[in-house]
């Protein structure tokens, strides 16, 4: 009779228990995965083995795992979909099981080629939710209103104006050193994968950043961070998120009004104004044009809303 597995928390065959214990130690000691990732991987593998136990009527052995067919893996994914798991969650679960089977293969415990034939469930990426041009302008104006510490208000206005005016990710803005403050016509941005790009800088961005620097009581030097927190250290993303949360509550904006939504707004408003999609791709630093093409979905959605509200044939008859 099999005993409860110390990794999974339920009964498993002894050879599977031994392999899982070694895989678990490998994830922790060699891959150095985060506790969150470790918990997710173990949970997904546990659900996979629970499914196999019910599917075959017994806890699987290593021989059973090695003999699984593509149809068995697909049956598991179909069952997870039936349980209500989204495509993104099923993709994560498949990644966890693939990780286990790759490790089993590399460690010489078993080889199963079937899992390599599976397609990852495709999660439909949500349509970006930008602010309207009016809301974006109002938010940037309101961001400067900080009665207790005016320089912090100017900092927030400078940061959010930079995100909207140049399409930066919040991490890209907060990583800028003071020596590369956007005070000229262009800004060098170091994006994902250490990929560098140049973006034009609007006069409104220049003015907002200059006003912040003039008011900032701290000078970290040219190599120090451009955006500082209340104590003169590098501004943390969580603080910027909290400032935006305060603003959207003050202005009655939706929960989708985040710092990243200003980047979405930059792209969407450029596209609506006739901007070239490939040029916008370069400005955003997207590796793939398909990522940038999501903004055409935003424009189409907005046009459809206008059509449904205005076109005589779209309005419901009384």
């Amino acid at each position: 009779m099999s005993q409860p597995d110390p990794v999974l928390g339920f009964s498993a065959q002894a050879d599977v228990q031994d392999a899982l214990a070694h895989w678990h130690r490998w994830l922790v000691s060699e891959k150095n995965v985060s506790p969150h990732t470790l918990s997710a991987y173990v949970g997904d593998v546990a659900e996979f083995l629970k499914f196999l136990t019910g599917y075959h009527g017994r806890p699987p052995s290593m021989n059973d795992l090695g003999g699984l067919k593509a149809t068995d893996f697909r049956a598991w994914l179909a069952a997870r979909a039936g349980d209500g798991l989204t495509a993104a969650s099923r993709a994560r679960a498949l990644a966890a099981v693939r990780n286990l089977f790759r490790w089993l293969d590399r460690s010489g415990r078993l080889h199963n080629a079937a899992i390599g034939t599976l397609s990852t469930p495709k999660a439909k990426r949500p349509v970006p939710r930008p602010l309207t041009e009016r809301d974006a302008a109002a938010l940037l104006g309101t961001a400067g209103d900080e009665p207790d510490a005016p320089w912090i208000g100017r900092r927030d206005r400078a940061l959010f104006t930079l995100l909207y005016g140049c399409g930066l990710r919040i991490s890209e803005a907060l990583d800028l050193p003071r020596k590369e403050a956007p005070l000229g016509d262009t800004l060098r941005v170091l994006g994902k994968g250490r990929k560098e790009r140049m973006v034009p800088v609007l006069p409104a961005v220049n003015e907002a950043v200059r006003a912040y620097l003039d008011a900032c009581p701290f000078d970290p030097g040219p190599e120090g961070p451009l955006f500082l927190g209340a104590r003169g250290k590098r501004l943390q993303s969580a603080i910027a998120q909290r400032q935006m949360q305060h603003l959207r509550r003050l202005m009655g904006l939706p929960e989708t009004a985040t710092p990243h939504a200003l980047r979405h707004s930059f792209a969407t408003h450029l596209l609506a104004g006739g901007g070239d999609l490939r040029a916008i791709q370069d400005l955003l630093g997207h590796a793939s044009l398909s990522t940038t093409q999501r903004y055409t979905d935003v424009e189409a959605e907005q046009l459809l809303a206008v059509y449904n509200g205005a076109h005589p044939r779209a309005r419901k008859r009384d």
Side-chain angles (χ1 to χ4, degrees):
M1 181 176 178
S2 59
Q3 298 297 316
D5 180 86
V7 174
L8 301 174
F10 64 88
S11 296
Q13 298 289 349
D15 56 354
V16 173
Q17 288 189 33
D18 180 71
L20 288 174
H22 282 86
W23 173 65
H24 190 273
R25 285 196 292 271
W26 175 77
L27 287 172
V28 173
S29 61
E30 294 192 36
K31 295 299 290 181
N32 195 29
V33 300
S34 70
H36 175 78
T37 299
L38 181 66
S39 175
Y41 271 27
V42 170
D44 287 327
V45 167
E47 290 298 329
F48 171 66
L49 294 177
K50 279 183 181 179
F51 166 79
L52 291 180
T53 298
Y55 193 59
H56 293 298
R58 66 181 188 280
S61 66
M62 292 292 284
N63 283 338
D64 292 326
L65 295 182
L68 291 174
K69 308 288 192 227
T71 51
D72 299 321
F73 290 108
R74 292 193 187 102
W76 162 61
L77 289 172
R80 299 304 283 147
D83 292 337
L85 256 69
T86 64
S89 294
R90 298 197 307 276
R92 187 200 69 186
L94 180 56
V97 173
R98 276 179 171 153
N99 182 284
L100 170 63
F101 274 78
R102 280 197 300 268
W103 178 84
L104 291 171
D105 193 358
R106 286 196 300 267
S107 63
R109 285 172 168 80
L110 67 81
H111 174 73
N112 187 312
I115 193 169
T117 67
L118 300 179
S119 298
T120 300
K122 299 297 183 186
K124 185 177 180 181
R125 298 189 70 173
V127 175
R129 296 296 176 190
L131 282 70
T132 65
E133 292 185 37
R134 178 178 295 180
D135 284 345
L139 184 140
L140 297 181
T142 306
D145 299 334
E146 179 62 62
D148 296 329
W151 79 268
I152 288 182
R154 293 187 181 185
R155 178 203 67 194
D156 293 344
R157 178 180 288 167
L159 174 61
F160 297 148
T161 301
L162 177 61
L163 299 183
Y164 177 54
C166 295
L168 268 61
R169 301 176 178 91
I170 182 69
S171 59
E172 293 170 345
L174 297 183
D175 284 345
L176 285 173
R178 186 156 293 209
K179 67 180 181 181
E180 294 185 17
L183 300 175
D185 295 329
T186 59
L187 173 66
R188 186 180 70 91
V189 182
L190 204 58
K192 288 184 176 180
R194 309 294 293 174
K195 186 178 179 181
E196 186 178 299
R197 69 184 190 275
M198 298 296 293
V199 297
V201 179
L202 299 172
V205 175
N206 294 153
E207 293 167 10
V209 172
R210 195 174 299 279
Y212 154 61
L213 289 176
D214 288 344
C216 182
F218 304 106
D219 181 7
E223 301 295 334
L226 172 60
F227 291 105
L228 302 175
R231 298 182 179 179
K233 304 295 184 182
R234 183 184 301 275
L235 179 64
Q236 299 299 308
S237 178
I239 301 299
Q241 299 281 359
R242 190 175 68 191
Q243 297 294 90
M244 177 65 82
Q245 184 181 56
H246 169 72
L247 285 171
R248 70 173 178 248
R249 287 176 178 170
L250 188 67
M251 299 176 64
L253 296 176
E255 292 293 310
T256 52
T258 63
H260 200 66
L262 292 173
R263 175 173 158 90
H264 291 327
S265 304
F266 165 84
T268 305
H269 298 167
L270 277 182
L271 187 63
D276 177 74
L277 197 62
R278 286 212 175 267
I280 295 172
Q281 176 191 0
D282 291 339
L283 292 173
L284 292 172
H286 285 160
S288 170
L289 184 63
S290 63
T291 306
T292 316
Q293 284 173 329
R294 292 188 301 148
Y295 295 106
T296 63
D297 296 335
V298 177
E299 191 177 19
E301 187 179 83
Q302 292 172 344
L303 287 172
L304 184 60
V306 171
Y307 172 85
N308 287 332
H311 197 286
R313 291 289 182 179
R315 293 199 294 267
K316 292 182 179 179
R317 296 182 183 274
D318 296 329

